[in-house]
Amino acid sequence: QVQLVESGGGLVQAGGSLRLSCAASGSIFRINDMGWYRQAPGKQRDLVATIANGGTTNSADSVKGRFIISRDNAKNTVYLQMNSLKPEDTAVYYCNANGLGYAPSGLVIFDSWGQGTQVTVSS
């Protein structure tokens, strides 16, 4: 089983910055993709940014040029540097990771989510 723990959320004024972190732990053989998603009240969960094991990134148009995703494979950790924050960035941010984990039967696929961290941007 693979667990994800997020940190770094909080309250910030528009134009400010926050850095989110998400550390994966457990029976990990290999993590493929890691990413961040967000869900505002009354809305669906949307992709913010993802990063593959080799470093290839993908991000939503709404955050391009403002948010930077990175990862430290040695620490099984993904980061999201959020700059020039806007009130519309307010949401619960969730970390996601998928890959292969150890099980008694051998290697199994995992797709895990963190518990979420609140980001609130005031105008």
Side-chain angles (χ1 to χ4, degrees), residues 9-18 66 82 84-91 93 118-123:
L11 173 65
V12 65
Q13 288 189 331
S17 298
L18 282 174
R66 300 188 298 123
M82 304 186 293
S84 302
L85 282 160
K86 304 175 181 179
E88 51 263 44
D89 294 318
T90 295
Y93 284 68
Q118 177 71 45
V119 171
T120 303
V121 185
S122 63
S123 57

Side-chain angles (χ1 to χ4, degrees), residues 1-2 26-29 100-110:
Q1 195 169 10
V2 176
S27 303
I28 299 170
F29 172 75
L100 292 173
Y102 293 103
S105 58
L107 295 178
V108 294
I109 295 171
F110 71 85

Side-chain angles (χ1 to χ4, degrees), residues 6-122:
E6 300 125 334
S7 61
L11 173 65
V12 65
Q13 288 189 331
S17 298
L18 282 174
R19 188 190 194 212
L20 306 182
S21 300
C22 171
S25 63
S27 303
I28 299 170
F29 172 75
R30 173 189 167 92
I31 299 177
N32 293 330
D33 300 318
M34 302 187 83
W36 292 94
Y37 295 74
R38 65 187 181 186
Q39 188 168 19
K43 296 189 176 181
Q44 66 180 21
R45 188 174 298 187
D46 292 327
L47 172 114
V48 176
T50 62
I51 183 167
N53 185 280
T56 301
T57 62
N58 178 47
S59 60
D61 288 343
S62 59
V63 306
K64 278 186 168 71
R66 300 188 298 123
F67 291 9
I68 301 170
I69 189 170
S70 61
R71 65 190 282 175
D72 184 333
N73 289 336
K75 296 181 179 180
N76 290 332
T77 299
V78 63
Y79 306 95
L80 185 68
Q81 178 65 45
M82 304 186 293
N83 301 319
S84 302
L85 282 160
K86 304 175 181 179
E88 51 263 44
D89 294 318
T90 295
V92 177
Y93 284 68
Y94 294 92
C95 174
N96 174 265
N98 60 66
L100 292 173
Y102 293 103
S105 58
L107 295 178
V108 294
I109 295 171
F110 71 85
D111 189 339
S112 299
W113 291 88
Q115 80 285 356
T117 186
Q118 177 71 45
V119 171
T120 303
V121 185
S122 63

